[in-house]
């Protein structure tokens, strides 16, 4: 199916919690289609399920979109011709649609109580009926019966009069032709007793009024298609083009959930993933450029995005692939840019390893030390924490290298401290040359000597490149750390 220019698509989150990866993947596909066609990406808040609203949830959605760089054209604080973009503020639109549907007998008032509906469901389960749901009891009420029930009832809902014969058909952008037997769909609720519309009515009315051309949503909504198409038919409106996206699966092929790890995109932000890597990764969960290419710049994804290349099969969320991809983006970033990103990341999430936060200049400096070793931004703090701590912790076993004793280690510390104190200029190249010379003069393996210096100055057996680290620490600080290591070693030996 050909995608027309200037598609109008909407991302319609509900304020019920943190943005799930599946929802954000939908937002990405919406955004890509809008940008690919020079169209509009609209954000609409669907808050008609009042009982499930969570304070601050829409702010989390907004932060997620902003972090990923998914700029929107209308909604969420941006002007547009079809506002407001919050469903609880659009009740007049839904009430007008209800009046029209009742007038044409495509909808009716239902007075059935929750107790009756519960008994009905139980009876249907016992009989193992093929058509489950509401039995249409109030559909054929006379005007007199309806008036009497309204007088005696505390409340009522509005139901849609679903056709009892025929089929509903759509040509799905992802799944092709899908047919539904109308007789298997019950008379569903359009307007709840609290006066708020259900998703079925509100989404259809809003999509029409906002001139939405394409609806991209999860495959769990496929079963709602006959309901929505029949509402469009009853109101005399042309439906949009639908694309039902594959479910994001865990490695065991079950639906991704909390038991498999983080499912909120903001959790991945805190874990140190980059927005470009996350967008690249999520865009490939169901869509592909050519079936092989995995690292795709944002502008190329926009240029080549085509919903017809979305796969029907579920897409597996592979955290190892995400780690690899994120590491690739980190390694291919300019050092100053990575330093700026690390500075903002550390400022926001306050690594427990630091006694003080690095300045932006220090962050830029250490970025060159760790860039090649990172999978996530979160990996950086443990590697460079020694630079931003006043004290270094280690035990005797860490400090004494293989085939060495206490006196031999002290001798190394003294020799290194003296040699390093005389270096001018104090650079990584000079430090390397001097330390290799000390090892040669002491008739030691270079690895032994460097291991002693590394633990003494960082408290770590594995650290960023040693010579560059010592340059960043500076001559005075290195001298102080070597002296402290000697004192601690003597103290540990005397105890």
């Amino acid at each position: 199916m050909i995608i027309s220019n200037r598609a109008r698509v909407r991302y319609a989150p509900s304020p019920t919690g943190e943005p799930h990866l599946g929802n954000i993947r939908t937002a990405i596909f919406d955004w890509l289609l809008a940008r690919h066609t020079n169209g509009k990406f609209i954000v609409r808040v669907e808050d008609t399920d009042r009982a499930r609203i969570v304070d601050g949830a829409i702010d989390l959605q907004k932060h997620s979109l902003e972090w990923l760089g998914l700029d929107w054209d209308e909604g969420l604080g941006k002007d547009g011709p079809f506002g407001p973009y919050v469903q609880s503020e659009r009740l007049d639109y839904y009430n007008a649609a209800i009046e029209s549907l009742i007038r044409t007998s495509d909808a009716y008032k239902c007075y059935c109580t929750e107790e009756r509906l519960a008994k009905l469901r139980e009876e249907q389960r016992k009989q193992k009926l093929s058509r489950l749901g509401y039995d249409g009891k109030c559909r054929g009420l006379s005007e007199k019966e309806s008036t009497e029930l309204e007088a005696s009832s505390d409340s009522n809902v509005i139901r849609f009069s679903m056709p009892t014969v025929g089929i509903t058909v759509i040509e799905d952008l992802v799944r092709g032709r899908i047919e539904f037997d109308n007789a298997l769909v019950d008379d569903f609720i359009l307007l709840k007793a609290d006066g708020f519309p259900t998703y079925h009515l509100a989404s259809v009315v809003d999509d029409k009024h906002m001139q939405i051309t394409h609806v991209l949503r999860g495959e769990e909504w496929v079963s709602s298609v006959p309901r929505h198409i029949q509402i469009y038919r009853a109101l005399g409106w042309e439906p949009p083009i639908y694309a039902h996206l594959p479910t994001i699966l865990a490695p065991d092929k079950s639906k991704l959930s909390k038991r498999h790890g983080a499912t909120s995109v903001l959790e991945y932000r805190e874990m140190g993933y980059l927005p470009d890597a996350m967008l690249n990764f999520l865009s490939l969960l169901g869509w592909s450029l050519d079936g092989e290419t995995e690292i795709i710049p944002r502008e190329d994804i926009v240029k080549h995005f085509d919903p017809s290349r979305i796969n029907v099969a579920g897409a597996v969320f592979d955290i190892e692939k995400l780690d690899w991809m994120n590491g690739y983006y980190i390694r291919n970033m300019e050092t100053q840019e990575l330093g700026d990103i690390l500075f903002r990341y550390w400022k926001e999430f306050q690594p427990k390893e630091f006694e003080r936060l690095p300045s932006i200049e220090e962050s830029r400096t250490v970025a060159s030390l760790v860039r090649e070793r990172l999978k996530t931004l979160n990996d950086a703090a443990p590697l460079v924490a020694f630079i931003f701590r006043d004290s270094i912790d280690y035990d005797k076993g860490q400090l004494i290298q293989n085939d060495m004793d206490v006196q031999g280690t002290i001798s190394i510390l003294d020799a290194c401290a003296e040699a390093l104190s005389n270096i001018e200029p104090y650079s990584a190249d000079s430090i390397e040359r001097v330390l290799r010379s000390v090892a040669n003069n002491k008739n030691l393996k270079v690895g032994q000597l460097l291991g002693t210096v590394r633990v003494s100055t960082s408290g770590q057996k594995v650290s960023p490149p040693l010579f560059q680290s010592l340059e960043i620490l500076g001559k005075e600080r290195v001298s102080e750390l070597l002296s402290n290591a000697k004192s601690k070693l003597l103290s540990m030996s005397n105890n």
Side-chain angles (χ1 to χ4, degrees), residues 268-381:
Y268 286 90
R269 176 174 177 264
E270 185 172 351
M271 290 159 64
Y273 292 91
L274 299 175
D276 280 348
M278 203 72 196
L279 184 139
N280 188 163
F281 176 77
L282 289 175
S283 70
L284 294 178
L285 290 183
W287 176 83
S288 70
L289 176 62
D290 53 21
E292 297 179 359
T293 306
E294 295 192 320
I295 300 296
I296 313 174
R298 180 182 296 250
E299 59 272 19
D300 288 345
I301 302 177
V302 170
K303 180 180 178 181
H304 296 289
F305 184 73
D306 179 356
S308 68
R309 292 198 61 83
I310 297 175
N311 201 327
V312 175
V316 175
F317 188 97
D318 184 349
I319 190 66
E320 292 183 0
K321 181 177 177 180
L322 175 58
D323 286 344
W324 166 80
M325 189 173 287
N326 202 65
Y328 177 91
Y329 274 87
I330 289 174
R331 291 190 299 275
N332 285 273
M333 187 178 294
E334 292 293 333
T335 300
Q336 180 169 320
E337 182 184 5
L338 177 59
D340 292 349
I341 289 173
L342 284 171
F343 172 74
R344 292 192 296 269
Y345 179 73
W346 288 335
K347 186 176 181 180
E348 181 169 0
F349 296 111
Q350 304 275 326
K352 65 181 184 302
E353 294 90 350
F354 291 167
E355 290 184 355
R356 68 174 180 86
L357 285 175
S359 67
I360 191 166
E361 291 79 11
E362 289 172 323
S363 300
R364 290 171 177 173
T365 299
V366 300
S368 62
L369 294 180
V370 297
R371 182 173 58 183
E372 299 299 320
R373 301 185 178 208
L374 302 183
K375 291 182 179 178
T376 70
L377 300 178
N378 194 44
D379 295 337

Side-chain angles (χ1 to χ4, degrees), residues 73-94:
D73 304 294
E74 298 172 23
L76 273 192
K78 293 192 176 183
D79 292 334
F82 304 107
Y85 292 85
V86 178
Q87 288 186 334
S88 61
E89 300 174 20
R90 296 174 58 84
L91 298 185
D92 288 347
Y93 290 93
Y94 315 131

Side-chain angles (χ1 to χ4, degrees), residues 311-494:
N311 201 327
V312 175
V316 175
F317 188 97
D318 184 349
I319 190 66
E320 292 183 0
K321 181 177 177 180
L322 175 58
D323 286 344
W324 166 80
M325 189 173 287
N326 202 65
Y328 177 91
Y329 274 87
I330 289 174
R331 291 190 299 275
N332 285 273
M333 187 178 294
E334 292 293 333
T335 300
Q336 180 169 320
E337 182 184 5
L338 177 59
D340 292 349
I341 289 173
L342 284 171
F343 172 74
R344 292 192 296 269
Y345 179 73
W346 288 335
K347 186 176 181 180
E348 181 169 0
F349 296 111
Q350 304 275 326
K352 65 181 184 302
E353 294 90 350
F354 291 167
E355 290 184 355
R356 68 174 180 86
L357 285 175
S359 67
I360 191 166
E361 291 79 11
E362 289 172 323
S363 300
R364 290 171 177 173
T365 299
V366 300
S368 62
L369 294 180
V370 297
R371 182 173 58 183
E372 299 299 320
R373 301 185 178 208
L374 302 183
K375 291 182 179 178
T376 70
L377 300 178
N378 194 44
D379 295 337
L383 291 174
V384 301
F386 64 95
I387 300 174
F388 308 108
R389 294 183 63 85
D390 294 329
S391 60
I392 302 298
D393 298 321
Y394 41 71
D395 57 35
K396 182 177 179 181
Q398 283 180 291
L399 195 56
I400 298 178
Q401 301 295 302
N402 293 336
D403 302 323
M404 295 181 65
D405 56 20
V406 172
Q407 288 304 317
T409 302
I410 291 175
S411 176
I412 287 177
L413 294 173
D414 287 338
C416 290
E418 181 180 358
L420 291 173
S421 67
N422 296 320
I423 292 178
E424 289 296 342
Y426 197 76
S427 66
D429 289 342
S430 299
I431 292 169
E432 179 178 6
R433 184 171 59 255
V434 164
L435 290 181
R436 289 186 182 278
S437 176
V438 171
N440 184 58
N441 293 338
K442 288 284 188 179
N443 197 29
L444 288 170
K445 294 179 181 178
V446 174
Q448 286 181 307
L449 182 137
L450 298 184
T452 298
V453 174
R454 176 177 287 107
V455 173
S456 299
T457 55
S458 71
Q460 303 167 188
K461 289 187 176 181
V462 178
S463 69
L466 177 62
F467 311 121
Q468 289 88 337
S469 298
L470 296 179
E471 178 182 348
I472 291 172
L473 283 168
K475 184 187 294 187
E476 291 185 6
R477 178 60 174 157
V478 170
S479 176
E480 179 184 358
L481 290 170
L482 293 175
S483 176
N484 290 344
K486 176 181 175 180
S487 298
K488 288 182 179 181
L489 187 57
L490 287 170
S491 174
M492 287 185 288
S493 299
N494 293 332

Side-chain angles (χ1 to χ4, degrees), residues 39-53:
K40 298 293 184 182
F41 175 52
I42 299 160
V43 180
R44 182 175 76 216
V45 177
E46 298 194 339
D47 63 342
T48 59
D49 190 347
R50 309 302 290 175
R52 297 179 60 216
I53 291 177

